Amino acid sequence: DADVTQTPRNRITKTGKRIMLECSQTKGHDRMYWYRQDPGLGLRLIYYSFDVKDINKGEISDGYSVSRQAQAKFSLSLESAIPNQTALYFCATSVDGQETQYFGPGTRLLVL
Amino acid sequence: EDQVTQSPEALRLQEGESSSLNCSYTVSGLRGLFWYRQDPGKGPEFLFTLYSAGEEKEKERLKATLTKKESFLHITAPKPEDSATYLCAVGEGGTYKYIFGTGTRLKVLA
């Protein structure tokens, strides 16, 4: 079984709809991250969380919110989706004190 | 401004034809330089972390090196299964921020 899972893997939604992307991990890592990947751009950090009570904005947090429901679960919400949020979204985890990040398989989101 | 630039954007090699991928960076204090491999439809997979100039890491046909301004990923005698996008990222000193490059798409032909 995969250590970092994301649901759904693909999602099509309409402008203005609220959607949630979910990430779960069985690695026991404290730190979790949400990134988006766009063609021609590097991965960009949306939000990160170092534990359940610690959530921080990344470089492109506008239009997004997150919830850390448990050590193993980190959800990303788009309150009112817009077409330029069409992208590939990745969740990642890491261990406190180590730099290596472990990525999930991604969610491909299309906002019409 | 902190940034990471990878070159070339795309590279086609014949099986067995060795080459190098480049990652040049500008960052305020390097907390680490990371190489990842990304296959189509999948998340990035960790390859190497380098922390200081002169450091080298090897894994099978891959070897990563680091200087004060750039890193190279050397691919020796590549095979078709090495085809993927290779991503470079740097950790910015004093922050928890990682800056990713746009990647090099490698295609190895049999």
Side-chain angles (χ1 to χ4, degrees):
Chain A
D1 289 339
D3 295 322
V4 183
T5 58
Q6 294 184 234
T7 56
R9 293 295 314 279
N10 294 279
R11 178 74 183 269
I12 300 174
T13 192
K14 294 182 178 180
T15 297
K17 294 291 188 181
R18 182 182 188 276
I19 67 163
M20 179 182 289
L21 310 183
E22 299 186 340
C23 176
S24 294
Q25 53 112 348
T26 58
K27 300 183 78 68
H29 292 173
D30 289 324
R31 299 184 175 190
M32 298 186 74
Y33 310 81
W34 275 106
Y35 289 91
R36 68 177 277 176
Q37 187 176 43
D38 299 274
L41 298 176
L43 284 156
R44 292 180 293 166
L45 184 63
I46 306 172
Y47 270 94
Y48 61 101
S49 170
F50 284 172
D51 65 40
V52 175
K53 296 182 180 181
D54 178 60
I55 293 178
N56 305 279
K57 293 182 178 180
E59 60 183 300
I60 54 163
S61 60
D62 287 349
Y64 301 95
S65 62
V66 291
S67 173
R68 186 83 184 265
Q69 300 96 324
Q71 185 203 39
K73 295 184 181 296
F74 193 35
S75 299
L76 176 72
S77 294
L78 284 68
E79 299 300 328
S80 179
I82 56 177
N84 76 0
Q85 291 178 313
T86 292
L88 192 53
Y89 289 84
F90 288 103
C91 173
T93 73
S94 69
V95 176
D96 185 12
Q98 295 186 17
E99 299 288 353
T100 303
Q101 295 190 15
Y102 299 87
F103 287 81
T107 294
R108 189 171 297 278
L109 176 65
L110 173 60
V111 182
L112 300 176
Chain B
E1 179 183 341
D2 296 343
Q3 61 181 15
V4 175
T5 303
Q6 292 189 246
S7 62
E9 288 186 14
L11 181 63
R12 291 167 67 94
L13 299 173
Q14 293 293 323
E15 184 173 4
E17 180 186 1
S18 300
S19 188
S20 297
L21 312 182
N22 178 262
C23 172
S24 62
Y25 63 91
T26 304
V27 67
S28 306
L30 180 68
R31 187 161 48 82
L33 186 138
F34 312 90
W35 283 99
Y36 288 86
R37 169 189 171 131
Q38 186 175 20
D39 292 296
K42 296 188 177 182
E45 177 185 350
F46 171 75
L47 292 173
F48 304 109
T49 305
L50 301 167
Y51 290 106
S52 57
E55 189 174 359
E56 299 181 352
K57 295 273 180 75
E58 284 189 70
K59 179 180 179 180
E60 297 181 351
R61 295 176 292 281
L62 301 177
K63 179 180 178 180
T65 62
L66 180 65
T67 72
K68 289 186 177 180
K69 294 183 178 181
E70 58 190 349
S71 176
F72 291 94
L73 185 65
H74 306 278
I75 303 177
T76 301
K79 298 181 178 182
E81 52 262 41
D82 294 322
S83 297
T85 296
Y86 290 85
L87 303 176
C88 170
V90 299
E92 184 182 74
T95 76
Y96 295 104
K97 183 178 177 181
Y98 297 85
I99 305 166
F100 280 82
T102 54
T104 293
R105 295 188 311 277
L106 174 65
K107 178 73 173 177
V108 182
L109 304 172

